[in-house]
Amino acid sequence: MATATEQWVLVEMVQALYEAPAYHLILEGILILWIIRLLFSKTYKLQERSDLTVKEKEELIEEWQPEPLVPPVPKDHPALNYNIVSGPPSHKTVREWKRIIILVTLIKGSSLASLKKYGVGLFNHLTFLTEIDVHLDLEERLAKFMKTEEAIIYSYGFATIASAIPAYSKRGDIVFVDRAACFAIQKGLQASRSDIKLFKHNDMADLERLLKEQEIEDQKNPRKARVTRRFIVVEGLYMNTGTICPLPELVKLKYKYKARIFLEESLSFGVLGEHGRGVTEHYGINIDDIDLISANMENALASIGGFCCGRSFVIDHQRLSGQGYCFSASLPPLLAAAAIEALNIMEENPGIFAVLKEKCGQIHKALQGISGLKVVGESLSPAFHLQLEESTGSREQDVRLLQEIVDQCMNRSIALTQARYLEKEEKCLPPPSIRVVVTVEQTEEELERAASTIKEVAQAVLL
Amino acid sequence: MANPGGGAVCNGKLHNHKKQSNGSQSRNCTKNGIVKEAQQNGKPHFCDKLIVESFEEAPLHVMVFTYMGYGIGTLFGYLRDFLRNWGIEKCNAAVERKEQKDFVPLYQDFENFYTRNLYMRIRDNWNRPICSAPGPLFDVMERVSDDYNWTFRFTGRVIKDVINMGSYNFLGLAAKYDESMRTIKDVLEVYGTGVASTRHEMGTLDKHKELEDLVAKFLNVEAAMVFGMGFATNSMNIPALVGKGCLILSDELNHTSLVLGARLSGATIRIFKHNNTQSLEKLLRDAVIYGQPRTRRAWKKILILVEGVYSMEGSIVHLPQIIALKKKYKAYLYIDEAHSIGAVGPTGRGVTEFFGLDPHEVDVLMGTFTKSFGASGGYIAGRKDLVDYLRVHSHSAVYASSMSPPIAEQIIRSLKLIMGLDGTTQGLQRVQQLAKNTRYFRQRLQEMGFIIYGNENASVVPLLLYMPGKVAAFARHMLEKKIGVVVVGFPATPLAEARARFCVSAAHTREMLDTVLEALDEMGDLLQLKYSRHKKSARPELYDETSFELED
């Protein structure tokens, strides 16, 4: 019975086929043929048109010419013809850049002792069996001297602040930094990938404006604000301008807007304050109000390296996350011993700070009134700048004029130097200047002589 | 008799043809899970030198236990945090000031979770202070903790004559003062310790010039420049060489200083798999053909960043292949020889000498003086125009102080020793002794059945421990046996691959190495560390024997 119904259905179908109009059948036939064609033809992909053949790829590889690894450097660039110094950088041979206290003989004695005990280098990263008792000593002494809980030592001055900032400030945090901050701070900020807000040099009103703006932003998004950390990074004595930061106002702003302060005291450590403790002692501020103080030991302590000090809560974090600390070899013991000895000297003779202050004042006054050059920097600062009063218009011209002055002073045995910057890398390039540095060991006659020589030379060159 | 292995038996020794085939450039022979890369160099006279590196995988149960260990530690960590929060347990960590309690917290709670709960338990194995020169034997200050490693105090006793397997003292130049160091004493007296100036200003001493000339001579290149810190050499000079619009191809396991330098430069960074030339070639091809990502402009320059010897793995870079690639695709090569200068190569001149290549083929040779030379600082060497450019544009030359004079003198002294300029062959002997010690140490460890990573010629030997508990137990027991070792865990290594890292030195005598090996043997049995499934026997020529019966 089933087959009969099937057959009947089949017959009906064939009959329907006969009865359908012709155009219908033809249309259906064409559609079926079209479908079959589409099924069997290759798919048309848009990318294929732009895909390169192997031959084209090889041609591209052959044709490509990279830039040379380094562009050529003019042969007479000053950096290639250094002043080569022979002999120790003490106050007699050169009047060099950053040395403030040089009691070289005494320091040599103790570093000699540690050379005998430890040899020179240390062969491994600090976490791995190379923390020597000398380092622990130095850290303790520094912490005690600065009256903080803890200190941590780095083996290179530049790396100190450049590793400290990224250890705390990460992507998404906000850092307010002065325009005249030094290059090491700039590199630290770049490595931290945080938002950077620059405020005008030493201008607290500008800083307050930025902080207020940030507060308004915070109110729009309180959840985000609760996890964004805020930092203010300033220097005690600015290397680029020789001015002091207004710390009391900064501390007030800190508590008002809940930002933490990082203070970079490379130039002011061992210079400002009654006992040389830096700008906090100078203003009489409680050191615990500053979250982190970083300084390098290359200026006042006549050694190499740097340190950070502050409360244990803050400093201990750097032992595992400060890149320049964990991934780098530790300070050679003889340099650490030299630093300890220098600290001893600083503690035993607190009178030298007053003497230094006087000498700074003296040379500052003596160099005022040179026509054509103006003195930039406070009278307390042992490192200040002499800039051209009126720029000639092009930076190169200025640099050449100043170099003329420096060279002529050299001929009369006064060693000076121009402040050097990497022009393309600095965020806010300071104008060209001559850097003058005073040390404790220079006598008054020498300072007088130096001042008068500079005056003469400047008048000769600039007029 | 036909040998089923396909080799021919000749005078009782089995020569297997497969070993001597030299058609393919690189082949991975996989046997029982070991992947051995049998590769050959381009130069014909080295075609019988196989680079044998092994990175064996641990058995499954070890990985399971490792992760379980971390899991249990984490659970307990949460429990303790909870107790501390509710005041049931005393909190020993430093806390924020009262006045600043309403500031945004300085650390995310989670960031420190690992430090607080896992690292703190075994913290006594790191940062151990020593009180003598880090020679082959040294003195460790004893310290105890009364409150489970939150604070330490020194008992005042000193553990004397601990065998030092942790310092990178490759050539044995770390030593107490002896008469040969008199020159350093003189330099110290004349020049003082600090320099207090940058290279551009007043900081170039004649000692620096002498040192740079000597370094250039040692490496057989045109010129060199020295810097005060090894880490800073990388992080301050890579930004001077490349900038925006350039491409950096860096190895997966590069050191933090290279990564930081690459990031600070602003160039685009692409990472290729560790020591994997195929991965590097693919990246190079894509870079040259397709150019910069969206604009399709050509890259300005391509710089390949590799290291000579990788300290956490003990592997040596496959330099001949990389140089071939670099020539084909016109890229520049930067090698960081921090761990290989002075330690690798027949006369200690680094990986270029190890492979018999010309140092001029590498564009930038960088290294540090901390490891083999017993001082601190770094150098960059290469063609004269490269070094001149760096003298002018390096961040370190303009803003950071130069090397301290006595340190420079120490490096000069070591270089003269190694080069033989002081009239003795002591330098060469040390290099050869180091190579012998390395091979002996590695061979014995492999025989015992430990899992060792890396190339058989690298003096840095990582021994895998895996489980965090064993890491602590290992370090503590070894100190009791008066052997100082370095153990490394997360985050310096991947989470599940904690290891102990031994640094063989030329100053280690055979007896010292034997003492250490015996102790390791005991430790291995006690702590069940002998995970290797490929215990090598001491007779490698019998490996391919298939039958040990007399055949007639």
Side-chain angles (χ1 to χ4, degrees), chain A residues 62 64 67 108 123-124 131 156 191 229 260 302 313 426, chain B residues 96 104 106-107 130 166 174 189 193 263 330 332 399 401:
Chain A
E62 278 210 30
W64 181 63
E67 279 182 9
K108 279 193 251 181
F123 300 94
N124 211 332
E131 193 162 354
Y156 205 47
R229 296 174 276 239
R260 295 172 198 265
F313 177 68
E426 285 264 2
Chain B
E96 180 70 273
V104 177
L106 191 53
Y107 313 116
I130 67 178
E189 307 241 314
T193 48
R263 270 180 42 206
K330 298 184 225 121
Y332 300 111
Y399 293 105
S401 68

PDB file of all heavy atoms in Angstrom, chain A residues 62 64 67 108 123-124 131 156 191 229 260 302 313 426, chain B residues 96 104 106-107 130 166 174 189 193 263 330 332 399 401:
ATOM      1  N   GLU A  62      65.398  43.319   0.251  1.00  0.00           N
ATOM      2  CA  GLU A  62      66.663  43.780  -0.321  1.00  0.00           C
ATOM      3  C   GLU A  62      66.739  45.273  -0.427  1.00  0.00           C
ATOM      4  O   GLU A  62      67.787  45.868  -0.243  1.00  0.00           O
ATOM      5  CB  GLU A  62      66.814  43.195  -1.721  1.00  0.00           C
ATOM      6  CG  GLU A  62      67.335  41.803  -1.678  1.00  0.00           C
ATOM      7  CD  GLU A  62      68.153  41.494  -2.908  1.00  0.00           C
ATOM      8  OE1 GLU A  62      68.774  42.414  -3.460  1.00  0.00           O
ATOM      9  OE2 GLU A  62      68.126  40.323  -3.288  1.00  0.00           O
ATOM     10  N   TRP A  64      65.273  47.612   1.387  1.00  0.00           N
ATOM     11  CA  TRP A  64      65.182  48.419   2.598  1.00  0.00           C
ATOM     12  C   TRP A  64      66.557  48.876   3.059  1.00  0.00           C
ATOM     13  O   TRP A  64      67.477  48.071   3.167  1.00  0.00           O
ATOM     14  CB  TRP A  64      64.521  47.591   3.699  1.00  0.00           C
ATOM     15  CG  TRP A  64      64.367  48.338   4.971  1.00  0.00           C
ATOM     16  CD1 TRP A  64      63.633  49.455   5.171  1.00  0.00           C
ATOM     17  CD2 TRP A  64      64.979  48.029   6.203  1.00  0.00           C
ATOM     18  NE1 TRP A  64      63.721  49.845   6.473  1.00  0.00           N
ATOM     19  CE2 TRP A  64      64.546  48.995   7.137  1.00  0.00           C
ATOM     20  CE3 TRP A  64      65.844  47.036   6.641  1.00  0.00           C
ATOM     21  CZ2 TRP A  64      64.947  48.986   8.459  1.00  0.00           C
ATOM     22  CZ3 TRP A  64      66.240  47.041   7.965  1.00  0.00           C
ATOM     23  CH2 TRP A  64      65.801  48.009   8.851  1.00  0.00           C
ATOM     24  N   GLU A  67      68.582  53.596   8.592  1.00  0.00           N
ATOM     25  CA  GLU A  67      69.469  54.714   8.870  1.00  0.00           C
ATOM     26  C   GLU A  67      70.749  54.160   9.473  1.00  0.00           C
ATOM     27  O   GLU A  67      70.729  53.099  10.073  1.00  0.00           O
ATOM     28  CB  GLU A  67      68.816  55.614   9.924  1.00  0.00           C
ATOM     29  CG  GLU A  67      67.804  56.550   9.377  1.00  0.00           C
ATOM     30  CD  GLU A  67      67.271  57.426  10.485  1.00  0.00           C
ATOM     31  OE1 GLU A  67      67.820  57.409  11.602  1.00  0.00           O
ATOM     32  OE2 GLU A  67      66.306  58.130  10.221  1.00  0.00           O
ATOM     33  N   LYS A 108      90.729  59.383  52.622  1.00  0.00           N
ATOM     34  CA  LYS A 108      91.533  58.347  51.990  1.00  0.00           C
ATOM     35  C   LYS A 108      91.969  57.301  52.982  1.00  0.00           C
ATOM     36  O   LYS A 108      92.032  56.133  52.684  1.00  0.00           O
ATOM     37  CB  LYS A 108      92.771  58.984  51.355  1.00  0.00           C
ATOM     38  CG  LYS A 108      92.473  59.598  50.011  1.00  0.00           C
ATOM     39  CD  LYS A 108      93.732  59.929  49.287  1.00  0.00           C
ATOM     40  CE  LYS A 108      93.895  61.414  49.254  1.00  0.00           C
ATOM     41  NZ  LYS A 108      95.044  61.905  48.584  1.00  0.00           N
ATOM     42  N   PHE A 123      80.852  41.859  43.069  1.00  0.00           N
ATOM     43  CA  PHE A 123      80.509  40.674  42.314  1.00  0.00           C
ATOM     44  C   PHE A 123      79.101  40.176  42.333  1.00  0.00           C
ATOM     45  O   PHE A 123      78.867  39.075  41.923  1.00  0.00           O
ATOM     46  CB  PHE A 123      81.369  39.475  42.757  1.00  0.00           C
ATOM     47  CG  PHE A 123      82.784  39.728  42.549  1.00  0.00           C
ATOM     48  CD1 PHE A 123      83.541  40.227  43.559  1.00  0.00           C
ATOM     49  CD2 PHE A 123      83.353  39.543  41.325  1.00  0.00           C
ATOM     50  CE1 PHE A 123      84.854  40.509  43.354  1.00  0.00           C
ATOM     51  CE2 PHE A 123      84.664  39.820  41.115  1.00  0.00           C
ATOM     52  CZ  PHE A 123      85.416  40.288  42.145  1.00  0.00           C
ATOM     53  N   ASN A 124      78.170  40.876  42.857  1.00  0.00           N
ATOM     54  CA  ASN A 124      76.858  40.282  42.744  1.00  0.00           C
ATOM     55  C   ASN A 124      75.817  41.298  43.138  1.00  0.00           C
ATOM     56  O   ASN A 124      76.132  42.373  43.602  1.00  0.00           O
ATOM     57  CB  ASN A 124      76.743  39.043  43.626  1.00  0.00           C
ATOM     58  CG  ASN A 124      75.787  38.048  43.011  1.00  0.00           C
ATOM     59  OD1 ASN A 124      74.881  38.398  42.300  1.00  0.00           O
ATOM     60  ND2 ASN A 124      76.021  36.799  43.291  1.00  0.00           N
ATOM     61  N   GLU A 131      75.802  41.962  50.802  1.00  0.00           N
ATOM     62  CA  GLU A 131      75.590  43.119  51.641  1.00  0.00           C
ATOM     63  C   GLU A 131      76.637  43.037  52.730  1.00  0.00           C
ATOM     64  O   GLU A 131      76.619  42.190  53.580  1.00  0.00           O
ATOM     65  CB  GLU A 131      74.196  43.067  52.244  1.00  0.00           C
ATOM     66  CG  GLU A 131      73.834  44.379  52.863  1.00  0.00           C
ATOM     67  CD  GLU A 131      72.356  44.462  53.060  1.00  0.00           C
ATOM     68  OE1 GLU A 131      71.669  43.556  52.604  1.00  0.00           O
ATOM     69  OE2 GLU A 131      71.923  45.431  53.664  1.00  0.00           O
ATOM     70  N   TYR A 156      74.901  54.232  42.531  1.00  0.00           N
ATOM     71  CA  TYR A 156      75.154  55.274  41.546  1.00  0.00           C
ATOM     72  C   TYR A 156      74.200  56.405  41.826  1.00  0.00           C
ATOM     73  O   TYR A 156      73.019  56.180  42.049  1.00  0.00           O
ATOM     74  CB  TYR A 156      74.903  54.697  40.146  1.00  0.00           C
ATOM     75  CG  TYR A 156      75.637  55.384  39.030  1.00  0.00           C
ATOM     76  CD1 TYR A 156      76.985  55.686  39.127  1.00  0.00           C
ATOM     77  CD2 TYR A 156      74.993  55.696  37.863  1.00  0.00           C
ATOM     78  CE1 TYR A 156      77.660  56.279  38.086  1.00  0.00           C
ATOM     79  CE2 TYR A 156      75.659  56.278  36.812  1.00  0.00           C
ATOM     80  CZ  TYR A 156      77.000  56.570  36.927  1.00  0.00           C
ATOM     81  OH  TYR A 156      77.668  57.146  35.883  1.00  0.00           O
ATOM     82  N   ALA A 191      60.156  56.601  33.459  1.00  0.00           N
ATOM     83  CA  ALA A 191      60.106  55.161  33.699  1.00  0.00           C
ATOM     84  C   ALA A 191      58.857  54.770  34.479  1.00  0.00           C
ATOM     85  O   ALA A 191      58.421  53.624  34.415  1.00  0.00           O
ATOM     86  CB  ALA A 191      61.343  54.711  34.471  1.00  0.00           C
ATOM     87  N   ARG A 229      47.343  57.674  43.520  1.00  0.00           N
ATOM     88  CA  ARG A 229      48.246  58.313  44.477  1.00  0.00           C
ATOM     89  C   ARG A 229      48.734  59.621  43.887  1.00  0.00           C
ATOM     90  O   ARG A 229      48.843  59.763  42.680  1.00  0.00           O
ATOM     91  CB  ARG A 229      49.432  57.384  44.734  1.00  0.00           C
ATOM     92  CG  ARG A 229      48.995  56.102  45.396  1.00  0.00           C
ATOM     93  CD  ARG A 229      50.141  55.176  45.497  1.00  0.00           C
ATOM     94  NE  ARG A 229      50.297  54.451  44.258  1.00  0.00           N
ATOM     95  CZ  ARG A 229      50.248  53.148  44.136  1.00  0.00           C
ATOM     96  NH1 ARG A 229      50.020  52.405  45.190  1.00  0.00           N
ATOM     97  NH2 ARG A 229      50.413  52.568  42.972  1.00  0.00           N
ATOM     98  N   ARG A 260      51.858  63.273  48.583  1.00  0.00           N
ATOM     99  CA  ARG A 260      53.084  62.967  49.308  1.00  0.00           C
ATOM    100  C   ARG A 260      54.254  63.722  48.683  1.00  0.00           C
ATOM    101  O   ARG A 260      54.275  63.937  47.486  1.00  0.00           O
ATOM    102  CB  ARG A 260      53.357  61.475  49.245  1.00  0.00           C
ATOM    103  CG  ARG A 260      52.303  60.690  49.949  1.00  0.00           C
ATOM    104  CD  ARG A 260      52.471  59.216  49.713  1.00  0.00           C
ATOM    105  NE  ARG A 260      51.256  58.519  50.023  1.00  0.00           N
ATOM    106  CZ  ARG A 260      51.006  57.952  51.181  1.00  0.00           C
ATOM    107  NH1 ARG A 260      51.885  58.002  52.135  1.00  0.00           N
ATOM    108  NH2 ARG A 260      49.857  57.328  51.379  1.00  0.00           N
ATOM    109  N   ALA A 302      81.868  63.114  48.828  1.00  0.00           N
ATOM    110  CA  ALA A 302      83.108  62.777  48.113  1.00  0.00           C
ATOM    111  C   ALA A 302      83.224  61.292  47.818  1.00  0.00           C
ATOM    112  O   ALA A 302      84.289  60.720  47.894  1.00  0.00           O
ATOM    113  CB  ALA A 302      84.329  63.232  48.915  1.00  0.00           C
ATOM    114  N   PHE A 313      58.392  52.407  56.670  1.00  0.00           N
ATOM    115  CA  PHE A 313      57.217  52.065  55.875  1.00  0.00           C
ATOM    116  C   PHE A 313      57.456  52.372  54.405  1.00  0.00           C
ATOM    117  O   PHE A 313      57.052  51.637  53.518  1.00  0.00           O
ATOM    118  CB  PHE A 313      56.036  52.882  56.403  1.00  0.00           C
ATOM    119  CG  PHE A 313      54.773  52.694  55.634  1.00  0.00           C
ATOM    120  CD1 PHE A 313      54.104  51.498  55.667  1.00  0.00           C
ATOM    121  CD2 PHE A 313      54.251  53.726  54.880  1.00  0.00           C
ATOM    122  CE1 PHE A 313      52.930  51.324  54.969  1.00  0.00           C
ATOM    123  CE2 PHE A 313      53.075  53.559  54.177  1.00  0.00           C
ATOM    124  CZ  PHE A 313      52.423  52.354  54.220  1.00  0.00           C
ATOM    125  N   GLU A 426      65.923  67.245  27.210  1.00  0.00           N
ATOM    126  CA  GLU A 426      65.384  67.919  28.383  1.00  0.00           C
ATOM    127  C   GLU A 426      63.980  68.394  28.089  1.00  0.00           C
ATOM    128  O   GLU A 426      63.687  68.897  27.015  1.00  0.00           O
ATOM    129  CB  GLU A 426      66.241  69.148  28.705  1.00  0.00           C
ATOM    130  CG  GLU A 426      67.559  68.826  29.332  1.00  0.00           C
ATOM    131  CD  GLU A 426      67.509  68.924  30.845  1.00  0.00           C
ATOM    132  OE1 GLU A 426      66.419  69.207  31.361  1.00  0.00           O
ATOM    133  OE2 GLU A 426      68.543  68.721  31.472  1.00  0.00           O
TER     134      GLU A 426
ATOM    135  N   GLU B  96      51.614  53.223  58.088  1.00  0.00           N
ATOM    136  CA  GLU B  96      51.551  54.630  57.708  1.00  0.00           C
ATOM    137  C   GLU B  96      51.459  55.504  58.948  1.00  0.00           C
ATOM    138  O   GLU B  96      51.018  55.072  60.000  1.00  0.00           O
ATOM    139  CB  GLU B  96      50.308  54.785  56.822  1.00  0.00           C
ATOM    140  CG  GLU B  96      50.053  56.150  56.316  1.00  0.00           C
ATOM    141  CD  GLU B  96      51.072  56.573  55.281  1.00  0.00           C
ATOM    142  OE1 GLU B  96      52.128  57.095  55.687  1.00  0.00           O
ATOM    143  OE2 GLU B  96      50.795  56.392  54.107  1.00  0.00           O
ATOM    144  N   VAL B 104      45.704  58.656  50.199  1.00  0.00           N
ATOM    145  CA  VAL B 104      45.528  57.454  49.374  1.00  0.00           C
ATOM    146  C   VAL B 104      46.642  56.474  49.758  1.00  0.00           C
ATOM    147  O   VAL B 104      47.789  56.865  49.872  1.00  0.00           O
ATOM    148  CB  VAL B 104      45.654  57.818  47.879  1.00  0.00           C
ATOM    149  CG1 VAL B 104      45.546  56.584  47.024  1.00  0.00           C
ATOM    150  CG2 VAL B 104      44.612  58.830  47.502  1.00  0.00           C
ATOM    151  N   LEU B 106      49.718  54.103  50.044  1.00  0.00           N
ATOM    152  CA  LEU B 106      50.917  54.122  49.208  1.00  0.00           C
ATOM    153  C   LEU B 106      51.071  52.817  48.430  1.00  0.00           C
ATOM    154  O   LEU B 106      51.560  52.789  47.318  1.00  0.00           O
ATOM    155  CB  LEU B 106      52.137  54.356  50.094  1.00  0.00           C
ATOM    156  CG  LEU B 106      53.459  54.657  49.395  1.00  0.00           C
ATOM    157  CD1 LEU B 106      53.308  55.807  48.436  1.00  0.00           C
ATOM    158  CD2 LEU B 106      54.507  54.983  50.431  1.00  0.00           C
ATOM    159  N   TYR B 107      50.672  51.724  49.035  1.00  0.00           N
ATOM    160  CA  TYR B 107      50.815  50.446  48.346  1.00  0.00           C
ATOM    161  C   TYR B 107      49.460  49.800  48.233  1.00  0.00           C
ATOM    162  O   TYR B 107      48.691  49.787  49.176  1.00  0.00           O
ATOM    163  CB  TYR B 107      51.730  49.492  49.130  1.00  0.00           C
ATOM    164  CG  TYR B 107      52.997  50.117  49.608  1.00  0.00           C
ATOM    165  CD1 TYR B 107      53.255  50.238  50.958  1.00  0.00           C
ATOM    166  CD2 TYR B 107      53.943  50.586  48.721  1.00  0.00           C
ATOM    167  CE1 TYR B 107      54.415  50.809  51.405  1.00  0.00           C
ATOM    168  CE2 TYR B 107      55.104  51.172  49.161  1.00  0.00           C
ATOM    169  CZ  TYR B 107      55.340  51.272  50.498  1.00  0.00           C
ATOM    170  OH  TYR B 107      56.488  51.840  50.942  1.00  0.00           O
ATOM    171  N   ILE B 130      77.698  39.800  54.666  1.00  0.00           N
ATOM    172  CA  ILE B 130      78.979  39.110  54.807  1.00  0.00           C
ATOM    173  C   ILE B 130      80.001  40.101  55.336  1.00  0.00           C
ATOM    174  O   ILE B 130      79.781  41.306  55.299  1.00  0.00           O
ATOM    175  CB  ILE B 130      79.449  38.522  53.468  1.00  0.00           C
ATOM    176  CG1 ILE B 130      79.792  39.632  52.484  1.00  0.00           C
ATOM    177  CG2 ILE B 130      78.386  37.655  52.886  1.00  0.00           C
ATOM    178  CD1 ILE B 130      80.290  39.104  51.177  1.00  0.00           C
ATOM    179  N   GLY B 166      78.009  31.639  45.290  1.00  0.00           N
ATOM    180  CA  GLY B 166      76.986  32.586  44.881  1.00  0.00           C
ATOM    181  C   GLY B 166      77.510  33.826  44.191  1.00  0.00           C
ATOM    182  O   GLY B 166      76.783  34.466  43.454  1.00  0.00           O
ATOM    183  N   ALA B 174      88.381  38.391  43.232  1.00  0.00           N
ATOM    184  CA  ALA B 174      87.937  39.026  44.468  1.00  0.00           C
ATOM    185  C   ALA B 174      88.798  38.503  45.585  1.00  0.00           C
ATOM    186  O   ALA B 174      88.819  37.321  45.855  1.00  0.00           O
ATOM    187  CB  ALA B 174      86.491  38.659  44.758  1.00  0.00           C
ATOM    188  N   GLU B 189      95.639  57.240  46.851  1.00  0.00           N
ATOM    189  CA  GLU B 189      96.301  58.342  47.534  1.00  0.00           C
ATOM    190  C   GLU B 189      96.376  59.579  46.655  1.00  0.00           C
ATOM    191  O   GLU B 189      96.250  60.695  47.113  1.00  0.00           O
ATOM    192  CB  GLU B 189      97.731  57.921  47.894  1.00  0.00           C
ATOM    193  CG  GLU B 189      97.812  56.631  48.656  1.00  0.00           C
ATOM    194  CD  GLU B 189      98.437  56.813  50.009  1.00  0.00           C
ATOM    195  OE1 GLU B 189      99.467  57.478  50.053  1.00  0.00           O
ATOM    196  OE2 GLU B 189      97.875  56.293  50.989  1.00  0.00           O
ATOM    197  N   THR B 193      88.747  59.402  46.261  1.00  0.00           N
ATOM    198  CA  THR B 193      87.728  58.412  45.921  1.00  0.00           C
ATOM    199  C   THR B 193      86.721  58.924  44.913  1.00  0.00           C
ATOM    200  O   THR B 193      86.419  58.261  43.935  1.00  0.00           O
ATOM    201  CB  THR B 193      86.955  57.965  47.160  1.00  0.00           C
ATOM    202  OG1 THR B 193      86.565  59.132  47.872  1.00  0.00           O
ATOM    203  CG2 THR B 193      87.798  57.098  48.040  1.00  0.00           C
ATOM    204  N   ARG B 263      62.501  50.734  27.121  1.00  0.00           N
ATOM    205  CA  ARG B 263      61.278  51.501  27.394  1.00  0.00           C
ATOM    206  C   ARG B 263      61.537  52.986  27.408  1.00  0.00           C
ATOM    207  O   ARG B 263      60.752  53.781  26.897  1.00  0.00           O
ATOM    208  CB  ARG B 263      60.701  51.074  28.733  1.00  0.00           C
ATOM    209  CG  ARG B 263      59.739  49.929  28.601  1.00  0.00           C
ATOM    210  CD  ARG B 263      59.175  49.515  29.913  1.00  0.00           C
ATOM    211  NE  ARG B 263      58.833  50.641  30.734  1.00  0.00           N
ATOM    212  CZ  ARG B 263      58.792  50.635  32.050  1.00  0.00           C
ATOM    213  NH1 ARG B 263      59.059  49.531  32.696  1.00  0.00           N
ATOM    214  NH2 ARG B 263      58.464  51.694  32.731  1.00  0.00           N
ATOM    215  N   LYS B 330      69.715  43.568   7.530  1.00  0.00           N
ATOM    216  CA  LYS B 330      70.322  44.874   7.794  1.00  0.00           C
ATOM    217  C   LYS B 330      69.871  45.461   9.138  1.00  0.00           C
ATOM    218  O   LYS B 330      69.530  46.639   9.233  1.00  0.00           O
ATOM    219  CB  LYS B 330      70.001  45.869   6.684  1.00  0.00           C
ATOM    220  CG  LYS B 330      70.560  45.412   5.353  1.00  0.00           C
ATOM    221  CD  LYS B 330      70.309  46.462   4.318  1.00  0.00           C
ATOM    222  CE  LYS B 330      69.828  45.867   3.092  1.00  0.00           C
ATOM    223  NZ  LYS B 330      68.857  45.883   2.305  1.00  0.00           N
ATOM    224  N   TYR B 332      70.723  46.017  13.435  1.00  0.00           N
ATOM    225  CA  TYR B 332      71.908  46.251  14.249  1.00  0.00           C
ATOM    226  C   TYR B 332      71.836  45.364  15.470  1.00  0.00           C
ATOM    227  O   TYR B 332      70.762  45.099  15.999  1.00  0.00           O
ATOM    228  CB  TYR B 332      71.985  47.718  14.669  1.00  0.00           C
ATOM    229  CG  TYR B 332      72.067  48.661  13.506  1.00  0.00           C
ATOM    230  CD1 TYR B 332      71.015  49.500  13.190  1.00  0.00           C
ATOM    231  CD2 TYR B 332      73.194  48.691  12.703  1.00  0.00           C
ATOM    232  CE1 TYR B 332      71.087  50.345  12.116  1.00  0.00           C
ATOM    233  CE2 TYR B 332      73.267  49.541  11.619  1.00  0.00           C
ATOM    234  CZ  TYR B 332      72.208  50.362  11.326  1.00  0.00           C
ATOM    235  OH  TYR B 332      72.275  51.200  10.262  1.00  0.00           O
ATOM    236  N   TYR B 399      75.045  63.798  32.525  1.00  0.00           N
ATOM    237  CA  TYR B 399      74.389  64.052  33.802  1.00  0.00           C
ATOM    238  C   TYR B 399      74.883  63.209  34.957  1.00  0.00           C
ATOM    239  O   TYR B 399      74.577  63.495  36.092  1.00  0.00           O
ATOM    240  CB  TYR B 399      72.883  63.792  33.671  1.00  0.00           C
ATOM    241  CG  TYR B 399      72.209  64.775  32.781  1.00  0.00           C
ATOM    242  CD1 TYR B 399      71.814  64.421  31.517  1.00  0.00           C
ATOM    243  CD2 TYR B 399      71.978  66.067  33.208  1.00  0.00           C
ATOM    244  CE1 TYR B 399      71.196  65.327  30.705  1.00  0.00           C
ATOM    245  CE2 TYR B 399      71.359  66.973  32.398  1.00  0.00           C
ATOM    246  CZ  TYR B 399      70.966  66.603  31.144  1.00  0.00           C
ATOM    247  OH  TYR B 399      70.348  67.493  30.341  1.00  0.00           O
ATOM    248  N   SER B 401      77.832  61.002  37.213  1.00  0.00           N
ATOM    249  CA  SER B 401      79.258  61.142  37.493  1.00  0.00           C
ATOM    250  C   SER B 401      80.040  59.998  36.864  1.00  0.00           C
ATOM    251  O   SER B 401      79.504  58.959  36.541  1.00  0.00           O
ATOM    252  CB  SER B 401      79.491  61.154  38.992  1.00  0.00           C
ATOM    253  OG  SER B 401      79.187  59.892  39.502  1.00  0.00           O
TER     254      SER B 401
END
